[in-house]
Amino acid sequence: MQGKAFEIPKSLVWQSYKSVKRNKGAPGCDGQTMKQFDNNRDRNLYKIWNRLCSGSYLPPPVREKRIPKADGSDRILGIPTISDRIAQGAVKIYLETRLDKLFHNSSFGYRPNRSAHMALTQCERNCRFKSWVLEIDIKAFFDHVDHDLVVKALEHHDMPRWVILYCRRWMEAPMTDSSKADTLTKRARGTPQGGVISPILANLFLHYAFDRWMDKHWRYVPFERYADDIVCHCSRMSEAVNLKEAIQRRMEEVGLSINEAKSNVVYIDTFPRHNVKKVFTFLGYDFKVRTLRRKDGCLFRKCAAGASMTAMKRITKTITSWRIHRSSGATLKELAQRYNASLRGWIHYYGKFWYRHFSYRIWSVFQSRLIKWARCKLKIGTREAERKLEQVRKRMPTLFAHWELLRASNVRPRAV
C-alpha cells in the first residue's frame, strides 16, 4: 500500500465484481459488456483498485435510459459502465456493513435480508389495527436528493475521506443521452437511479429526512418505507390529514416535495363509510377490504393485499403481446423455455397474497393463449386443444410454470 493516498482492501473490489457479474445488466456509455470485461479481468480489476486507492478515479458519464410509466411520464435511469458498477459496489459494500444496522426497522428497500414481501406483510398487519392509511409518494425523489445533506450524513458517521470523495463524484456524474451524441447533462442535485451506490445513499438520506423524524415527532404512527414509497397508519382521519401536512413541510425542509396526485388519505376498515377513498396501492399490490372464506367455509371481511389491477392489466397485455399462437413452428418445450422465466417471476412476486385470485387470473390468461396456439398448430377445435394440453400437463406437470399452480397447496383464505 506504500504511496497510495487511500487504503482500500482489494477484497472489496473482488466482492463487488462477483456481485456485478451475478446481476448481469446492460452495458454503459462505453458499450463494454461483462464478457468483454472478463477477457482481461485481472488487469481491469487491478486498474479499478489502483485508481480508487490513488484518488484519481473519475466516474465516466452514466447512460440515460427512459422507462415509460403508467401515468405517461418517463422514469429516467442512469446506467453506469461495468467498471464503474464494480467501483461503486466496492464502496457500497463498505457502507452497507457499517450503516445498515443503524437503519430503521420499517425501512425495507434495497437492504440485505429484507424484501418487498416483508414490507407488504407488515403493511397488511398494521392495516388490521389502524383504520386510516396515508400513502405518500415523493415527487422525483432520485432526481432531487441534496448532495450536501448526503455528505453531511456520511460525515456524521465518520466515513473515511475516500468514501465521501467518491460518493460525491458519483452523485455529480453527468448523464449522456444516447439519442444525442456527445451531449452531457450536468447534475447538481439527485443521484442516478440505476447506480449501484444510489440505493444506500437514498436510504441514508431518508433515514434522517423521514425515519428519524417520524420517531421524534410521530412516534406512535407505524409506517413502512420501501425506498421512496411510504405508507403510514393512523387511527383517525384528522390524524392522517395533519400528518400529510407535516410530511409536506418536512420534505420542503430537505429540498423535496410530495406528489399530491399520488399521496392520499385512505379508509380501510370494514365499517361502511362514504365519500372517502377505500383502496391504496403499495409495491404493486392493492390493499382494500375483501370478502374471504376460512377453511371451515365461514365468510369474513378484512383489509387484505392482492395483485393490483394495474399489475394484472400489464401482465395480461404482456402475455397478449407475445402472440403465442403465431409461433406454430415451435414445440411446447421451446415455448416453456421462452416464457417460464417471466411466468415464474410474476408468480413468485404477485402470488404471495390473495393467492387463489392471482393464480386463477394468470392461469386463465396464459392457458387461453396456449389453447389458441394448439388450435393453430394442430388445426383442431377448442375442446380438442384443451384435451391434448391436459394430457401433456398430466405427463409433464412442471413443463410450464403456471401449471404448477394447480397442484400447489394453498393455506391462505380463499377469495369469493
Side-chain angles (χ1 to χ4, degrees), residues 18-223:
K18 290 192 293 184
S19 177
V20 171
K21 186 176 177 66
R22 183 169 56 251
N23 294 333
K24 300 179 182 179
C29 62
D30 62 354
Q32 186 185 49
T33 63
M34 179 56 72
K35 184 177 180 180
Q36 292 170 335
F37 182 92
D38 282 342
N39 289 337
N40 203 1
R41 185 193 66 185
D42 293 345
R43 180 179 176 83
N44 288 333
L45 291 177
Y46 178 81
K47 189 185 298 183
I48 294 170
W49 171 80
N50 188 50
R51 289 179 178 175
L52 287 173
C53 289
S54 66
S56 63
Y57 183 84
L58 295 172
V62 293
R63 179 169 67 86
E64 178 186 287
K65 184 175 182 181
R66 294 179 178 270
I67 307 295
K69 298 171 68 175
D71 59 4
S73 61
D74 291 334
R75 175 180 285 108
I76 301 176
L77 300 183
I79 302 176
T81 63
I82 297 293
S83 297
D84 198 39
R85 288 208 285 271
I86 294 172
Q88 289 188 36
V91 178
K92 176 205 166 191
I93 293 169
Y94 183 90
L95 284 173
E96 207 166 60
T97 56
R98 288 155 179 80
L99 294 179
D100 188 75
K101 58 188 176 184
L102 306 176
F103 289 159
H104 201 282
N105 285 333
S106 293
S107 169
F108 295 92
Y110 310 114
R111 295 181 57 189
N113 302 317
R114 286 178 171 256
S115 67
H117 286 155
M118 294 173 66
L120 291 163
T121 299
Q122 179 172 304
C123 184
E124 192 176 58
R125 183 170 61 249
N126 284 331
C127 285
R128 299 176 190 171
F129 304 105
K130 301 284 186 176
S131 300
W132 294 89
V133 163
L134 172 63
E135 54 174 343
I136 293 293
D137 182 80
I138 302 177
K139 191 174 183 179
F141 167 71
F142 281 91
D143 295 333
H144 293 91
V145 172
D146 190 305
H147 294 173
D148 292 335
L149 290 179
V150 174
V151 170
K152 184 178 179 180
L154 291 171
E155 291 173 342
H156 174 73
H157 291 284
D158 297 322
M159 289 299 159
R161 191 161 59 92
W162 59 272
V163 170
I164 297 173
L165 171 69
Y166 291 127
C167 284
R168 182 177 281 279
R169 285 182 182 178
W170 279 314
M171 288 189 292
E172 296 175 349
M175 186 172 290
T176 177
D177 188 346
S178 57
S179 63
K180 300 176 183 177
D182 301 327
T183 300
L184 295 179
T185 303
K186 294 184 178 180
R187 182 183 294 273
R189 297 178 67 86
T191 179
Q193 188 174 2
V196 176
I197 199 71
S198 296
I200 192 167
L201 295 182
N203 271 334
L204 177 63
F205 182 92
L206 286 173
H207 174 71
Y208 289 102
F210 182 80
D211 301 349
R212 291 283 296 273
W213 177 83
M214 284 289 291
D215 278 350
K216 183 177 180 181
H217 298 282
W218 298 82
R219 60 181 301 181
Y220 298 110
V221 175
F223 69 90

Side-chain angles (χ1 to χ4, degrees), residues 304-369:
S308 69
M309 293 302 297
T310 301
M312 293 306 305
K313 288 178 181 178
R314 185 175 63 249
I315 290 172
T316 301
K317 185 177 180 180
T318 300
I319 292 175
T320 304
S321 69
W322 290 340
R323 302 182 69 81
I324 299 173
H325 64 285
R326 294 293 183 90
S327 302
S328 55
T331 65
L332 278 175
K333 288 185 178 181
E334 290 171 343
L335 292 180
Q337 291 173 354
R338 190 181 303 172
Y339 301 120
N340 270 350
S342 296
L343 293 172
R344 285 198 181 96
W346 291 326
I347 292 169
H348 173 75
Y349 186 76
Y350 291 108
K352 182 69 173 178
F353 301 88
W354 213 30
Y355 176 82
R356 290 189 179 178
H357 169 77
F358 171 77
S359 62
Y360 170 76
R361 288 289 299 273
I362 196 168
W363 163 272
S364 60
V365 172
F366 191 77
Q367 189 69 9
S368 67
R369 313 314 294 179

Side-chain angles (χ1 to χ4, degrees), residues 1-10 49 53:
M1 283 283 190
Q2 291 183 353
K4 299 294 184 184
F6 306 119
E7 294 188 0
I8 302 175
K10 288 183 178 179
W49 171 80
C53 289

Side-chain angles (χ1 to χ4, degrees), residues 382-399:
T382 301
R383 293 283 182 89
E384 183 66 13
E386 290 177 349
R387 187 180 66 82
K388 287 187 176 296
L389 285 174
E390 180 64 16
Q391 290 174 349
V392 176
R393 189 187 68 82
K394 289 181 177 179
R395 291 200 312 270
M396 297 181 289
T398 61
L399 178 61

